[in-house]
Amino acid sequence: MRALLQRVARAPGGRRGKWLILAIWLIAAVALGPLAGKLGDVEETGPNAFLPRGAESARVNTELEKFRTDTVMPAVVVYTGAGADATAAADRDAFARYVPAGQEVSQPIPSEDGEALMTIVPLDVEDDITDKVDELRDVAGANAPPGVHVEVGGPAGSLTDSVAVFDGLDTTLLLATGLVVAVLLLLTYRSPVLWLLPLLSVGFAAVLTQATTYLLAKHAGLPVDPQSAGVLMVLVFGVGTDYALLLIARYREELHRHEDRHEAMRIALRRSGPAILASAATIAVGLSCLAFADINSSRSLGLVGAVGVVCGFLAMVTVLPALLVIAGRWVFWPFVPHHGTPARKPRTIWSRVGAAVALRPRWSWLMSVAVTGALALSVVGINMGLTQAETFQDKPESVVAQERISAHYPSGASDPAEIVTRSDRTAEVRAAAAAVAGVARVEEGGDRTPDGELTAIAVVLEDAPDSQAAKDTVDALRTAVHQVDGADALVGGTTAETLDTQRAADRDLTTVVPIVLLVVLGVLILLLRALVAPLLLLATVVLSYFAALGASNLLFEHVLGYAGVDWSIPLMGFVFLVALGIDYNIFLMHRVKEEIGRLGHERGVLEGLTSTGGVITSAGIVLAATFAVFAGLPLVTMAQMGVLVGIGVLLDTFLVRTVLVPALALDLGRWFWWPGRLSRGTAVDGRGARNSTSSTSPDPAPESV
């Protein structure tokens, strides 16, 4: 590994290599740019994109593809108010031109209370459903007189509103994230030029990431959906900027020690490279563990995110060093690092924090655990699950339509459950379904496959499709139809999909979490050559996760007014926070190990904290701010993800990495490194000499660092 890093370091830090690296990236950007723009072409937006693989509801969607009517998706138009009869009749004639051949608009269906009408408009999925629904809404809105309320919902309306959430999401997130990162880099470096280089390098990484993701999706079956594609750019910006901050901080230090900037960059890469590599490996492998998840959207987010982290790492250790060396020292203006001047002020805020922690380390880590533990208590009693209406920051029209249907019809009338059964057992399955409590009615007739072997039966439930009562009915319905011999009946539909997703989320949590913990622990053991330190570092990150989840729940419930937490958030938040949170511990402890080798244990811990304090804090703020961009999105699930990750990163930055970890290291002394070499009281410094970990010898000359 050391030899590999040395070879990598020589290229971007070389007098000729820097130009070669830049040329390679420019050629790659030009060549891959068109492919990067095609990422949207491979995004999976089908009915199973966000469902668990192998779930019964997903199997129903697959079976429905065999039916002639699989090309039809209904839009449900709901009318309320005086004069709704005439409006519905006029609209029925206007809607006819949007219906495919062989289909027709239903007659307006009155509610039992006589206060509402419902018209079902079948739309061809071969056309652009969203455009058709928008046109239906325009027609209905133009024809509605004062006092008549018209909403277009149903499956087609829900799809249109869901697509609208992701429409332009990539561009919006990219612009917002780029602006946030640019502002924070300006504040961090206070240089009119330096901030451009990390941003330009992240741009190269973004092109490589999108092109690679497109190629893997097209030719290797990598799952990509609109949600993972949107998160991808935020992750690349956040992680890439973190690595840029770490490398630039180390490069600045070496410029104070070396007159030749090429030599300074080679040493900076060699010193910071292992930490950046370990960080990228931890995040990429941790996210890849989501491949073991059942929910397709979770698998997509994990695998696509891993691709982004790897591409971000490659850009930050190649093109960014090349750009920095090409630009020279002046790029740091007005704070140009000159050879022979001190790299840091003798006393900084981080040295003061370290001194305070060193004075009472046990009290410091106990208080840190108490604070995070108190926040974690808010996890108890957390309200899990969101209804369809609660998944949007503002109610879309399809949700309003469903509310009106629930008020005047059986709540499941607009979105019935679907049963697919063998045609020769249709009567028995229909009778079994009708006998289930919670079923309002079993629709007559039923569509058949061209070969006549399968029949699809619509079952209207009494309760709203996303209610717990409807889920219980689906469970009972499945039990009933599964007992019909030879029917091979399957139950799907929106309620079944919600139920399957909820249960899969629970399974994924118990499956993926242990795998992620083992993988991250393995990386830490390899990096630190110890066992106690990795276990403690992992424990601090897990504690930080629960504290972040508790704090986020308080915000969701008392400030933001969310009804609950989406089922996907605990797992997604855990994977992101463990992978990203351990990042800062890696940066800190890698530097601490280096300093212990020449200063001894206590002074090494304090020097590691002091030397990395500014850069890790800046990195944490940048990463938290990039994920905070999600909080403004219209989808509650993504907003909750952004808030949770942002809070977790800030806790890791300001409490865990600053106080808790250094305090544990100081309190345990050399046992913190058991059973590694540092626990035995000796270490090897950068020149190969053996030093005592309790040494208090003065700092070596800059050239020997």
Side-chain angles (χ1 to χ4, degrees):
M1 181 61 66
R2 181 176 298 175
L4 174 61
L5 289 174
Q6 288 176 347
R7 287 196 294 271
V8 171
R10 282 197 293 268
R15 298 182 184 279
R16 295 181 180 177
K18 60 188 179 185
W19 296 108
L20 177 62
I21 292 291
L22 181 58
I24 291 174
W25 274 99
L26 288 173
I27 294 172
V30 172
L32 297 177
L35 295 179
K38 294 182 178 181
L39 182 57
D41 297 343
V42 294
E43 291 179 5
E44 175 58 52
T45 57
N48 291 342
F50 295 90
L51 294 181
R53 52 183 173 178
E56 185 168 340
S57 56
R59 291 160 58 195
V60 169
N61 289 334
T62 302
E63 292 296 321
L64 288 175
E65 294 177 1
K66 301 176 181 178
F67 289 76
R68 286 194 182 96
T69 55
D70 67 339
T71 59
V72 174
M73 179 179 290
V76 179
V77 189
V78 186
Y79 300 85
T80 55
D85 292 350
T87 304
D91 283 350
R92 182 174 184 270
D93 295 334
F95 292 158
R97 67 176 183 271
Y98 300 104
V99 174
Q103 300 288 333
E104 63 179 15
V105 181
S106 74
Q107 292 288 345
I109 304 170
S111 62
E112 292 185 3
D113 59 12
E115 295 182 2
L117 292 169
M118 180 171 62
T119 301
I120 300 175
V121 183
L123 301 177
D124 192 341
V125 298
E126 297 296 330
D127 298 331
D128 191 325
I129 289 288
T130 59
D131 287 346
K132 295 293 185 184
V133 170
D134 288 338
E135 292 177 19
L136 291 179
R137 287 172 172 171
D138 290 340
V139 169
N143 292 343
V148 175
H149 301 283
V150 185
E151 287 83 27
V152 179
S158 297
L159 175 64
T160 299
D161 292 333
S162 298
V163 169
V165 171
F166 295 103
D167 189 26
L169 178 64
D170 293 352
T171 303
T172 302
L173 282 177
L174 188 62
L175 293 175
T177 305
L179 179 60
V180 168
V181 170
V183 170
L184 291 175
L185 287 176
L186 271 170
L187 295 175
T188 299
Y189 292 126
R190 292 172 292 170
S191 168
V193 180
L194 181 58
W195 67 277
L196 290 170
L197 300 189
L199 213 56
L200 181 59
S201 302
V202 170
F204 281 118
V207 172
L208 178 63
T209 298
Q210 290 185 321
T212 303
T213 304
Y214 167 76
L215 292 173
L216 290 176
K218 188 172 181 63
H219 302 292
L222 178 70
V224 181
D225 59 51
Q227 175 178 283
S228 61
V231 174
L232 178 61
M233 286 299 96
V234 174
L235 186 62
V236 171
F237 264 86
V239 172
T241 306
D242 273 8
Y243 298 156
L245 289 167
L246 185 68
L247 176 62
I248 292 174
R250 195 58 188 257
Y251 176 52
R252 187 199 292 267
E253 285 186 38
E254 299 303 331
L255 286 175
H256 285 282
R257 296 169 178 153
H258 301 276
E259 186 172 1
D260 184 0
R261 67 181 187 276
H262 300 86
E263 179 67 14
M265 178 56 73
R266 285 194 290 267
I267 294 176
L269 275 172
R270 191 165 65 246
R271 296 288 190 181
S272 61
I276 296 176
L277 176 61
S279 168
T282 303
I283 298 175
V285 176
L287 291 177
S288 296
C289 291
L290 284 170
F292 294 98
D294 283 336
I295 299 177
N296 289 327
S297 57
S298 299
R299 295 173 56 243
S300 173
L301 185 59
L303 296 174
V304 168
V307 173
V309 171
V310 171
C311 293
F313 165 77
L314 291 175
M316 293 306 128
V317 298
T318 54
V319 69
L320 176 60
L323 290 171
L324 288 168
V325 176
I326 290 172
R329 295 174 185 265
W330 70 269
V331 76
F332 289 91
W333 184 88
F335 305 99
V336 179
H338 297 289
H339 175 234
T341 59
R344 292 191 306 273
K345 296 179 180 179
R347 293 283 290 174
T348 67
I349 185 175
W350 306 111
S351 62
R352 295 187 182 95
V353 170
V357 171
L359 188 63
R360 301 182 67 182
R362 184 164 301 176
W363 182 88
S364 297
W365 71 257
L366 284 174
M367 289 302 297
S368 300
V369 170
V371 171
T372 51
L375 290 173
L377 288 177
S378 299
V379 174
V380 179
I382 190 171
N383 184 26
M384 295 300 303
L386 296 171
T387 65
Q388 182 184 13
E390 294 164 349
T391 58
F392 297 93
Q393 301 270 28
D394 298 310
K395 287 184 183 180
E397 186 171 334
S398 59
V399 171
V400 177
Q402 179 58 49
E403 290 177 346
R404 296 196 187 280
I405 291 172
S406 299
H408 301 286
Y409 296 85
S411 296
S414 67
D415 198 356
E418 293 275 0
I419 299 178
V420 176
T421 181
R422 296 186 63 83
S423 297
D424 57 355
R425 309 297 290 174
T426 300
E428 292 87 342
V429 169
R430 190 186 299 278
V436 173
V439 171
R441 66 176 182 272
V442 179
E443 300 287 9
E444 295 296 328
D447 298 311
R448 288 195 174 192
T449 54
D451 58 12
E453 291 188 359
L454 298 177
T455 298
I457 304 171
V459 179
V460 177
L461 307 182
E462 293 179 352
D463 303 288
D466 48 13
S467 66
Q468 184 58 49
K471 297 174 191 174
D472 294 339
T473 302
V474 166
D475 263 335
L477 190 60
R478 283 175 169 173
T479 300
V481 301
H482 290 171
Q483 291 175 352
V484 178
D485 292 335
D488 298 330
L490 300 172
V491 179
T494 300
T495 305
E497 292 173 358
T498 303
L499 180 63
D500 290 340
T501 301
Q502 174 183 326
R503 290 176 174 168
D506 290 337
R507 289 195 303 270
D508 288 349
L509 197 62
T510 57
T511 301
V512 176
V513 166
I515 297 174
V516 172
L517 292 176
L518 288 174
V519 166
V520 173
L521 179 63
V523 173
L524 289 175
I525 290 173
L526 289 174
L527 177 68
L528 301 179
R529 300 293 193 270
L531 183 59
V532 173
L535 286 171
L536 289 176
L537 293 177
L538 197 59
T540 62
V541 173
V542 172
L543 179 61
S544 174
Y545 160 73
F546 282 107
L549 185 59
S552 299
N553 184 47
L554 291 176
L555 284 176
F556 298 156
E557 186 174 350
H558 300 292
V559 178
L560 300 176
Y562 297 148
V565 177
D566 188 77
W567 286 103
S568 64
I569 294 300
L571 177 61
M572 294 294 97
F574 181 85
V575 173
F576 272 96
L577 284 180
V578 169
L580 295 173
I582 208 70
D583 224 18
Y584 303 124
N585 282 330
I586 288 175
F587 293 161
L588 170 64
M589 300 316 296
H590 182 268
R591 186 59 179 265
V592 166
K593 276 192 66 179
E594 180 182 334
E595 300 297 342
I596 287 177
R598 66 186 185 90
L599 298 175
H601 179 76
E602 181 173 341
R603 289 187 61 196
V605 171
L606 297 179
E607 178 62 20
L609 173 61
T610 302
S611 60
T612 61
V615 62
I616 293 181
T617 300
S618 298
I621 292 173
V622 169
L623 188 60
T626 54
F627 273 92
V629 171
F630 287 135
L633 296 179
L635 199 63
V636 169
T637 302
M638 299 190 75
Q640 290 182 339
M641 172 68 72
V643 171
L644 175 59
V645 175
I647 291 176
V649 168
L650 292 177
L651 280 173
D652 282 327
T653 303
F654 289 101
L655 183 60
V656 174
R657 190 271 312 165
T658 305
V659 179
L660 180 55
V661 171
L664 285 170
L666 291 170
D667 193 23
L668 291 176
R670 61 189 178 91
W671 291 106
F672 186 76
W673 304 102
W674 187 87
R677 177 180 297 175
L678 293 179
S679 69
R680 297 192 292 273
T682 58
V684 179
D685 66 12
R687 296 165 293 177
R690 298 180 70 83
N691 295 306
S692 169
T693 58
S694 60
S695 169
T696 57
S697 58
D699 293 356
E703 288 75 16
S704 66
V705 176

